[in-house]
Amino acid sequence: MSLIQRIDALLPQTQCGKCGHAGCRPYAEGLAAGEAINKCPPGGDETIAALANLLKVQVIALDTERGNAPPQVAFIREAECIGCTKCIQACPVDAIVGAAKLMHTVIASECTGCDLCLAPCPVDCIDLLPLPDKIVPIVGGLAHTAEQLDARAKRRDHARHRHEQRNARLQREEARRQAERMARSQRAASNPTASGDASDPIKAAIERVKAQKAAHNDAALKQAKIAAAMSRAQLNKARSAFGAAPNEAQHAQLNLLEKAAKDAQQHLDALQAGADHARA
């Protein structure tokens, strides 16, 4: 194993980014180049000691300004999920399953507790819960016996493998998108009349305006869908919190939320009708 691989093997593989890097492997590369060994909250004192022993440097205190990383797992309140896929895109180990406009859920046994899915969620429907007893902790300081250390090492290796698989998939998808863009460009170059070439500049300009308008309408429709979903989620959350007998102030707040949800849905319906008419 190279030095970078040996360092990476000591890191917790949460891929949380609290060290300031995009994942554990980039931090391992930084450590091999002389970076400080105290930037990994999930590894804690245990990882600092292991890195100090490997790199033959002095043990230093954990940089607490980088936050903490207890053993935890993400949980999606599925009734409030709007199916935006933002958490799926953020998860570094593909531990969230679902599809656009459909409910998402977390595979608890694959979640590293990195908390990267929290910030992108537009309706704040993700919680971080204590790690269930049946799941092996991936963070440092909780494995003491040889059996526990071996179980954690296997889980870290598994998490590393899932992260590498995700990165490879993203690279394949990007390569495919680039190939498709190049193919479209080549088709347009080989058939300039069909693409609105300079042979008909007025038609080309009209087509460009139509394309820009369509893109703008699609973006507006997407935002309206998110806004309507968020309004419904906020209303449902308030109803659940206030119970069957809200007081006067809560009732007034519910009225405001109901109006906001109604207005957002009406705006969405109007945009959707316009889009349907344009396609027809």
Side-chain angles (χ1 to χ4, degrees):
M1 295 175 67
S2 69
L3 177 60
I4 292 174
Q5 289 174 319
R6 292 166 67 193
I7 295 171
D8 189 42
L10 299 177
L11 298 178
Q13 304 306 315
T14 57
Q15 317 300 340
C16 65
K18 289 182 171 64
C19 60
H21 293 275
C24 295
R25 175 71 182 219
Y27 182 38
E29 295 170 356
L31 287 165
E35 197 165 331
I37 64 174
N38 67 337
K39 297 182 177 181
C40 179
D45 294 338
E46 178 186 303
T47 294
I48 290 173
L51 290 172
N53 180 62
L54 174 64
L55 300 173
K56 307 304 179 186
V57 297
Q58 185 177 357
V59 172
I60 55 179
L62 177 67
D63 183 356
T64 56
E65 292 185 359
R66 297 181 180 275
N68 56 15
Q72 58 191 4
V73 63
F75 174 79
I76 297 175
R77 299 193 300 276
E78 296 172 353
E80 300 172 32
C81 176
I82 62 173
C84 69
T85 76
K86 293 184 183 297
C87 61
I88 293 177
Q89 297 169 43
C91 181
V93 292
D94 283 341
I96 304 177
V97 294
K101 302 180 183 179
L102 298 175
M103 178 191 71
H104 305 342
T105 193
V106 177
I107 306 173
S109 60
E110 303 292 357
C111 176
T112 66
C114 67
D115 76 28
L116 293 176
C117 57
L118 295 187
C121 179
V123 294
D124 191 25
C125 71
I126 305 177
D127 298 318
L128 288 175
L129 305 180
L131 192 71
D133 293 337
K134 64 180 180 179
I135 298 178
V136 177
I138 201 169
V139 299
L142 298 174
H144 307 290
T145 67
E147 183 179 5
Q148 290 172 340
L149 288 167
D150 182 61
R152 189 188 62 187
K154 288 179 179 178
R155 183 160 187 237
R156 287 181 171 181
D157 288 343
H158 179 69
R160 181 189 299 107
H161 181 60
R162 286 185 68 88
H163 181 58
E164 291 170 349
Q165 283 185 318
R166 174 183 182 271
N167 288 342
R169 173 177 59 79
L170 293 178
Q171 291 174 359
R172 290 194 302 270
E173 291 173 353
E174 179 58 26
R176 186 180 69 250
R177 285 192 292 268
Q178 290 182 357
E180 291 172 349
R181 285 195 292 268
M182 184 175 293
R184 286 195 297 270
S185 298
Q186 292 174 345
R187 286 197 298 270
S190 64
N191 191 5
T193 302
S195 62
D197 192 57
S199 59
D200 191 349
I202 296 177
K203 182 179 179 181
I206 293 173
E207 291 300 323
R208 283 196 298 271
V209 170
K210 286 182 177 179
Q212 291 171 356
K213 186 176 180 180
H216 176 76
N217 290 342
D218 287 345
L221 183 60
K222 182 177 180 180
Q223 290 299 319
K225 288 178 179 178
I226 293 175
M230 288 178 66
S231 295
R232 290 195 302 272
Q234 290 171 352
L235 176 59
N236 291 334
K237 192 173 183 179
R239 284 173 173 166
S240 177
F242 296 160
N247 59 36
E248 185 176 346
Q250 292 171 339
H251 189 68
Q253 186 176 348
L254 283 173
N255 287 338
L256 290 175
L257 290 173
E258 287 172 354
K259 184 178 185 305
K262 182 179 179 181
D263 291 345
Q265 186 61 46
Q266 288 178 341
H267 179 59
L268 171 60
D269 292 342
L271 290 177
Q272 186 66 63
D276 293 342
H277 179 71
R279 284 194 292 269

